[in-house]
Amino acid sequence: MSQVTANMPESASSAPSEQATAELNRTWASPAGFFGWFTHVNHRKIGFRFIMTSLVFFVLAGVLALLMRLQLITPENSLMGPELFNQLFTMHGTTMMFFFAVPIMEGLGIYLVPLMIGTRDMCFPRLNAFGYYVYLIAGIVLYLSLFLGMAPAAGWFAYVPLANDMFSPGKGMDIWTTMITFIELSALTAAVELIVTIFKQRAPGMSLDRMPLFVWAILVMSFMIVFAMPTVMVGSILLMLDRTLMTQFFVVASGGEPLLWQHLFWFFGHPEVYIIFVPALGVLSAIITTFTHKRLFGYTAMVLSLVAIGFVSFGLWVHHMFTTGLPHLGLSFFTGASAMIAIPSGVQIFCWIASLWGARIRFATPMLFVLGFFAVFVIGGLTGVMVASIPFDMQVHDTYFVVAHFHYVLIGGAVLPLFGGIYYWYPKATGRLMSERLGRWSFALIFIGLNATFFPMHQLGLEGMPRRVYTYLETMGWGNLNLFISLSAFVLALGFGLTFLNMWMSRSRGTPAGPNPWDADSLEWATDSPPANYNFRHIPVVRSGTPLWDDAIANERQFVSGLRNDRREVLVTTLVDAEPQAVVILPQPTIWPVLLAVAVSIGFIGTIFSPWGFWLGFFLSFWMIVGWLWPRRPWQEN
Amino acid sequence: MRERFVIDVGDFSRFNPGPQAPVWWGILGLVVIEATVIMAFIATYFYLRLMAPAWPPEGVEPPPLLLPSISVVLLLGSSMTMQWGSKCIENEQYNRFVVAMFTSVGLACTVLMLRWQQFQELGVPWDEHVYGSIVWTIMGFHFVHLISAAAGTLVVGILGIKRYFNPQQKIGVVVDTLYWNFVSLVWIPLYLVVYWVPRWL
Ligand code: HEM
Ligand SMILES: [Cu+2]
């Protein structure tokens, strides 16, 4: 590093006066008050909102799932009719995939990445805020449609021709297509932002090979979003055009192709599963490193397998279409590719096992969730290998076997690590630890409830019970298993509920955490809990892959000086080696992101009713963007 | 624990006119996303064509070539005027810069007017057959992007009149040019797909 001058006289502990620190804190403060709330741009504010909002959607979708289970608790139940049941599973699936799983992973990234790489904010703070409002508005509109009784009802993958206006009249599907386009917009802004922040704002010395695995995982996730989300946007735009402007993309009579929808959807839909899963892998790596107190075994292999998972997952989409009558050779190729993804996943698992082997493991709650992940994910992976083989898939396609499989993968692969992550990082965000006792109870109930709910579904599927049915005949003999499943679902819900209760109560009652309660290795633990507005009093200089542990051994911490306190300055470093390269000034809190989000919403929602809505939104948005980017005086300042 | 300052960034310039500025990477990200969207449209076009018994459908002629070919030339020209604009900023020739921006916008507006005529000449409505649907969609998509690029550059031109830009402070021009080049160059593959594929293949 050229700029490093070995013996600069200034010493960090004596230099900053209280006054300077207070000024820095004011510079990075977010305005208080109701109106102030809409101007926040700080990554921790926005990341926190992403996380909390997606947890709200998790609860909403969970309630819908419980309602479905109530309907299925006995044969020929008359709690609800087929129309409502269709709306419920559509809303449950859509919410869980688009409004919970992806945003919460982005939220974790937005909150944690700048802390982990040692910077004060993300590179485009206002875009961050914009992405959040877009997400929030999309979710609210979707749920309004449910409460108004006109929710979409064509399943979370909205197959045409069912989703065409001939078979799904009414505004439900229009709301689905526009809100899906909308939420993808939010995901894409977050992804670009995360990529650029990770590439350009790492603390000096944090070369790519010293980057925490969690940050790698978020990077891979973001790239996958960039290449996967556009196809579903295109798909839903085409469907929107079919429904509003009478284009004929999916209308067979005019040369349209229903399978086109499936290709566009699953080209996104399969990577989607890994978009959720990859950051969860990052969470697991962070927790395992900390609770075994040693660097993960096989760092390079882990990074390569994360990247490999990212690539291979784009070659798998057709395995969702095995029953559509595609050519045989093609199908065999995709079976092979589906099996191939087992290799990088296997590498991950073996590296973790090697890390856990012989280590002195602390069994705190986050670690319990990690172990739970292992157990559940192995089962989900096994049934995945089963359904990847075509003859077997022909049998169980669209049965409860598949429902069991993907809940094992999604809950085991994403929700358990995520909850582990909540226990792990909660003290950083709030300054207090969550209760271990409640945590253990919560974990136990979730683990039991999850297996009791979803394991019997394999059996139901093999017995032939189709998915997406609102009821079944008594003579089928599925009654007992369904009763058991429905009761277990409530145990599972109770388990999740205990963690939420724990989060609520520990805010004021938890044990104070201090900066580094778990004795972890990465930079987010080098600063206060919760961090001050500026994240780091001085930008740290990184000399290894586990900086906190190695600083302690060397008994020395190194910093960057020269960033001003009176405006929002962050350091830009080079992409590979993270050598200091430039300083940029970030914007202040501002109202424009909300205004733009509202303008874009007017465009999207207006389009449902009239093509003029599009142009209205377009020109409103243009003015908002001009207002947003218009330079503020004084113009010249270095 | 000992604490030391080992790097000082106090005298780094705060003006970052090129790839060291995160916003440059951000616009690159936008371009990559848009390019992926366009790939999806093109893939859709070929998929529909593959599945169709006749492409274009019976009784429809491929659209005439004259206007879109002129557009190619005009758009390439506009990329050059944008390039010239950047040079002018470099050399502190601010009046010429404004001229360059407005010329580019003028070229884009000409292309937009030609495009309006092209829509009439496509010879198919969008709501009768998928062929019409996909052709209209691709053309419309590019149409909207041209409007955005022209509007953005108009604002850059106005800021130029107000003498906002100079050799240090020009990242706005740099990223606007980056986006402009994308919008104008992407017309070439779209042109080949919409106008030549039905003739060649
Ligand atoms: C909280 C516990 C959960 C319960 C009790 C539950 C229950 C259910 C039920 C009953 C169905 C409908 C099955 C059918 O009739 O075909 C369903 C479908 C689905 N679930 Fe869950 N689920 C839970 C969590 C999740 C999570 C965490 C995710 C994803 C991250 C998820 C994603 C889905 C999807 C994508 C569908 C398919 C929807 C469709 O058919 O269009 N679920 N779930
Ligand atoms: Cu898949």
Side-chain angles (χ1 to χ4, degrees):
Chain A
M1 273 187 290
S2 53
Q3 281 84 358
V4 179
T5 36
N7 281 313
M8 282 183 18
E10 200 182 6
S11 139
S13 39
S14 66
S17 66
E18 302 248 316
Q19 229 174 347
T21 307
E23 183 183 27
L24 186 62
N25 206 27
R26 264 198 313 281
T27 302
W28 287 92
S30 302
F34 178 74
F35 292 104
W37 194 86
F38 290 98
T39 64
H40 290 188
V41 291
N42 178 277
H43 79 95
R44 278 186 295 115
K45 299 278 181 202
I46 303 295
F48 188 75
R49 283 184 203 173
F50 261 103
I51 295 172
M52 294 317 281
T53 311
S54 30
L55 285 178
V56 169
F57 282 118
F58 179 67
V59 172
L60 286 172
V63 170
L64 301 184
L66 290 181
L67 288 175
M68 284 190 283
R69 284 318 314 175
L70 277 180
Q71 161 67 17
L72 295 173
I73 199 165
T74 57
E76 293 159 72
N77 196 355
S78 56
L79 180 67
M80 64 183 74
E83 294 83 15
L84 182 57
F85 193 87
N86 289 352
Q87 295 190 1
L88 289 189
F89 71 68
T90 303
M91 288 291 287
H92 167 78
T94 303
T95 312
M96 283 295 189
M97 299 303 276
F98 295 105
F99 289 83
F100 159 66
V102 177
I104 201 164
M105 295 303 177
E106 290 163 2
L108 267 190
I110 290 172
Y111 192 98
L112 289 170
V113 161
L115 290 169
M116 284 192 166
I117 64 176
T119 186
R120 287 181 174 160
D121 205 337
M122 295 182 69
C123 50
F124 315 124
R126 295 176 292 187
L127 195 63
N128 230 348
F130 169 71
Y132 173 74
Y133 294 114
V134 165
Y135 163 47
L136 183 66
I137 294 173
I140 290 176
V141 172
L142 192 66
Y143 270 80
L144 277 181
S145 80
L146 179 66
F147 295 129
L148 295 177
M150 52 185 212
W156 86 279
F157 37 70
Y159 273 5
V160 292
L162 175 61
N164 283 352
D165 56 347
M166 195 191 297
F167 303 106
S168 297
K171 296 287 176 218
M173 273 319 296
D174 295 312
I175 290 174
W176 191 90
T177 53
T178 45
M179 290 308 114
I180 290 305
T181 312
F182 222 52
I183 185 89
E184 307 309 5
L185 182 66
S186 158
L188 285 166
T189 57
V192 169
E193 173 122 41
L194 284 163
I195 292 174
V196 179
T197 305
I198 294 172
F199 273 176
K200 298 304 292 175
Q201 283 182 214
R202 300 196 307 278
M206 186 183 281
S207 48
L208 286 180
D209 58 345
R210 291 176 183 165
M211 211 160 81
L213 279 167
F214 178 81
V215 180
W216 269 109
I218 293 290
L219 185 65
V220 171
M221 169 194 85
S222 305
F223 269 104
M224 293 176 70
I225 290 179
V226 165
F227 291 109
M229 298 277 178
T231 58
V232 72
M233 274 177 102
V234 167
S236 45
I237 288 173
L238 297 186
L239 183 54
M240 194 169 12
L241 290 173
D242 263 18
R243 296 180 55 94
T244 54
L245 288 181
M246 306 328 248
T247 56
Q248 306 290 310
F249 290 107
F250 305 118
V251 183
V252 180
S254 329
E257 272 296 329
L259 275 187
L260 171 64
W261 170 263
Q262 296 198 18
H263 281 294
L264 288 172
F265 188 88
W266 288 116
F267 185 81
F268 140 84
H270 186 83
E272 160 88 349
V273 177
Y274 288 84
I275 287 171
I276 299 168
F277 177 52
V278 162
L281 295 179
V283 173
L284 293 169
S285 292
I287 295 179
I288 292 177
T289 309
T290 299
F291 288 89
T292 57
H293 208 276
K294 59 181 197 202
R295 199 169 189 209
L296 269 188
F297 178 86
Y299 175 89
T300 314
M302 293 289 265
V303 170
L304 289 179
S305 60
L306 276 178
V307 176
I309 289 176
F311 273 102
V312 177
S313 68
F314 279 89
L316 303 187
W317 80 96
V318 173
H319 70 201
H320 296 269
M321 301 162 62
F322 281 161
T323 55
T324 54
L326 294 172
H328 266 276
L329 185 65
L331 293 187
S332 314
F333 170 81
F334 283 99
T335 305
S338 304
M340 213 167 87
I341 195 111
I343 298 173
S345 312
V347 170
Q348 299 265 335
I349 303 264
F350 283 118
C351 286
W352 288 325
I353 292 179
S355 307
L356 292 170
W357 201 267
R360 266 210 281 126
I361 307 169
R362 268 183 299 159
F363 290 100
T365 311
M367 197 63 207
L368 293 183
F369 278 96
V370 170
L371 298 179
F373 157 86
F374 278 114
V376 174
F377 195 71
V378 166
I379 298 178
L382 280 179
T383 52
V385 174
M386 291 163 79
V387 292
S389 94
I390 298 172
F392 187 79
D393 188 54
M394 295 281 185
Q395 283 303 312
V396 299
H397 186 81
D398 267 342
T399 70
Y400 261 85
F401 192 91
V402 175
V403 178
H405 157 69
F406 67 69
H407 281 90
Y408 261 90
V409 182
L410 288 167
I411 300 188
V415 179
L416 290 184
L418 188 77
F419 272 62
I422 290 179
Y423 279 88
Y424 180 61
W425 280 297
Y426 182 93
K428 180 47 58 186
T430 63
R432 290 175 187 272
L433 289 153
M434 286 168 76
S435 152
E436 276 290 308
R437 228 179 67 160
L438 259 182
R440 280 164 204 274
W441 273 103
S442 171
F443 171 73
L445 287 178
I446 291 176
F447 191 76
I448 295 168
L450 160 62
N451 284 296
T453 306
F454 294 106
F455 199 80
M457 286 188 188
H458 293 114
Q459 180 61 26
L460 272 185
L462 293 176
E463 286 177 19
M465 178 160 169
R467 68 189 280 201
R468 295 178 169 170
V469 288
Y470 81 106
T471 194
Y472 49 94
L473 292 177
E474 178 143 26
T475 46
M476 302 306 292
W478 300 330
N480 289 339
L481 273 180
N482 270 303
L483 174 65
F484 180 76
I485 289 172
S486 291
L487 294 179
S488 308
F490 282 90
V491 177
L492 177 58
L494 182 66
F496 288 131
L498 283 189
T499 290
F500 295 135
L501 183 71
N502 199 349
M503 288 169 77
W504 179 257
M505 299 212 316
S506 305
R507 275 179 331 143
S508 49
R509 295 201 208 153
T511 333
N516 192 359
W518 311 113
D519 191 11
D521 65 310
S522 44
L523 286 180
E524 78 269 31
W525 304 102
T527 181
D528 306 337
S529 310
N533 294 331
Y534 45 74
N535 282 0
F536 296 92
R537 181 63 190 84
H538 303 286
I539 302 304
V541 175
V542 173
R543 287 165 296 162
S544 79
T546 48
L548 264 57
W549 296 342
D550 295 315
D551 282 356
I553 294 170
N555 199 22
E556 172 171 297
R557 298 170 68 183
Q558 300 186 347
F559 299 106
V560 177
S561 64
L563 288 181
R564 276 169 57 169
N565 294 335
D566 58 347
R567 60 185 186 194
R568 300 189 168 199
E569 293 195 338
V570 292
L571 183 62
V572 175
T573 51
T574 56
L575 199 160
V576 177
D577 296 325
E579 296 188 13
Q581 188 182 26
V583 175
V584 294
I585 306 161
L586 295 182
Q588 299 289 315
T590 151
I591 192 75
W592 288 105
V594 192
L595 298 181
L596 180 62
V598 170
V600 176
S601 313
I602 292 176
F604 272 94
I605 297 167
T607 311
I608 298 178
F609 298 97
S610 149
W612 291 107
F614 173 79
W615 291 109
L616 179 65
F618 186 84
F619 283 103
L620 279 179
S621 307
F622 172 71
W623 286 113
M624 298 307 153
I625 293 175
V626 171
W628 172 329
L629 294 178
W630 195 259
R632 311 290 187 270
R633 285 171 197 274
W635 282 352
Q636 292 287 334
E637 207 187 343
N638 200 344
Chain B
M1 205 181 302
R2 202 162 21 149
E3 303 196 320
R4 281 200 307 143
F5 286 113
V6 294
I7 300 174
D8 186 73
V9 295
D11 51 3
F12 277 34
S13 167
R14 267 57 173 170
F15 293 118
N16 299 292
Q20 69 270 47
V23 67
W24 188 89
W25 293 81
I27 296 292
L28 192 65
L30 174 68
V31 166
V32 171
I33 290 171
E34 297 258 22
T36 316
V37 169
I38 285 176
M39 303 267 266
F41 276 125
I42 293 180
T44 300
Y45 182 96
F46 280 103
Y47 183 80
L48 292 171
R49 185 180 164 280
L50 187 73
M51 295 295 168
W55 193 265
E58 300 285 325
V60 177
E61 288 300 307
L65 286 172
L66 179 66
L67 299 183
S69 312
I70 296 177
S71 300
V72 173
V73 177
L74 293 180
L75 285 173
L76 286 178
S78 76
S79 274
M80 273 147 74
T81 51
M82 288 300 283
Q83 219 60 48
W84 176 51
S86 303
K87 280 265 155 48
C88 296
I89 282 286
E90 207 66 51
N91 304 334
E92 306 185 30
Q93 297 159 323
Y94 300 125
N95 286 329
R96 290 196 191 170
F97 168 72
V98 175
V99 173
M101 291 301 111
F102 281 90
T103 317
S104 310
V105 174
L107 286 170
C109 289
T110 319
V111 173
L112 284 174
M113 282 181 314
L114 294 183
R115 185 65 52 84
W116 198 255
Q117 185 57 30
Q118 280 160 251
F119 279 125
Q120 322 297 321
E121 291 177 359
L122 282 178
V124 278
W126 65 76
D127 54 0
E128 272 175 15
H129 189 275
V130 267
Y131 171 77
S133 304
I134 184 67
V135 167
W136 274 84
T137 305
I138 290 180
M139 301 268 290
F141 182 78
H142 190 249
F143 186 74
V144 174
H145 278 70
L146 262 180
I147 297 180
S148 327
T153 304
L154 190 65
V155 175
V156 169
I158 292 172
L159 280 173
I161 296 178
K162 292 177 174 284
R163 295 284 179 271
Y164 171 69
F165 298 109
N166 57 47
Q168 284 91 45
Q169 186 156 310
K170 59 160 195 186
I171 185 72
V173 182
V174 173
V175 298
D176 185 59
T177 309
L178 188 62
Y179 187 68
W180 184 286
N181 285 337
F182 169 71
V183 172
S184 65
L185 292 183
V186 86
W187 174 241
I188 295 175
L190 294 180
Y191 164 71
L192 291 177
V193 168
V194 171
Y195 289 88
W196 286 98
V197 164
R199 292 186 160 77
W200 281 341
L201 299 179

